[in-house]
Amino acid sequence: MVPVVPDKTFTIPEEEARKYPSGYRYLAWCENKISEPPKMDLNSHGPERDILYAKCKDWLDGKKVQPNLTGKDVVEY
């Protein structure tokens, strides 16, 4: 994150940030601070990534893809 005013900084408490997925930990922390609950299944590792890649492939192949708007993806891939 790049501050808009370079001489103004803030500290993100690591113990709070650790509860979010590593791929977007600090962005999720910021989202939570503005009362916008972050989606917790966007991890860039493991089964979540595989589901995302499968959806992308299906979309590129012209298939209909249902977006995950709930934060709880249940997909049989």
Side-chain angles (χ1 to χ4, degrees):
M1 287 174 266
V2 178
V4 175
V5 180
D7 65 339
K8 302 281 185 186
T9 62
F10 60 93
T11 302
I12 297 176
E14 285 298 319
E15 63 278 357
E16 288 181 28
R18 266 191 223 107
K19 67 182 176 182
Y20 300 107
S22 62
Y24 56 101
R25 175 170 291 158
Y26 302 104
L27 175 60
W29 180 86
C30 289
E31 287 179 335
N32 189 57
K33 287 299 175 188
I34 62 169
S35 300
E36 185 66 36
K39 290 178 73 175
M40 298 299 285
D41 65 344
L42 298 176
N43 204 339
S44 58
H45 313 292
E48 297 90 353
R49 180 204 56 210
D50 298 339
I51 290 170
L52 175 63
Y53 283 5
K55 283 184 171 189
C56 291
K57 182 181 181 317
D58 285 351
W59 181 76
L60 289 170
D61 289 342
K63 296 178 184 174
K64 185 175 180 174
V65 176
Q66 179 67 35
N68 173 12
L69 302 175
T70 65
K72 299 190 184 318
D73 225 346
V74 179
V75 180
E76 302 283 332
Y77 279 101

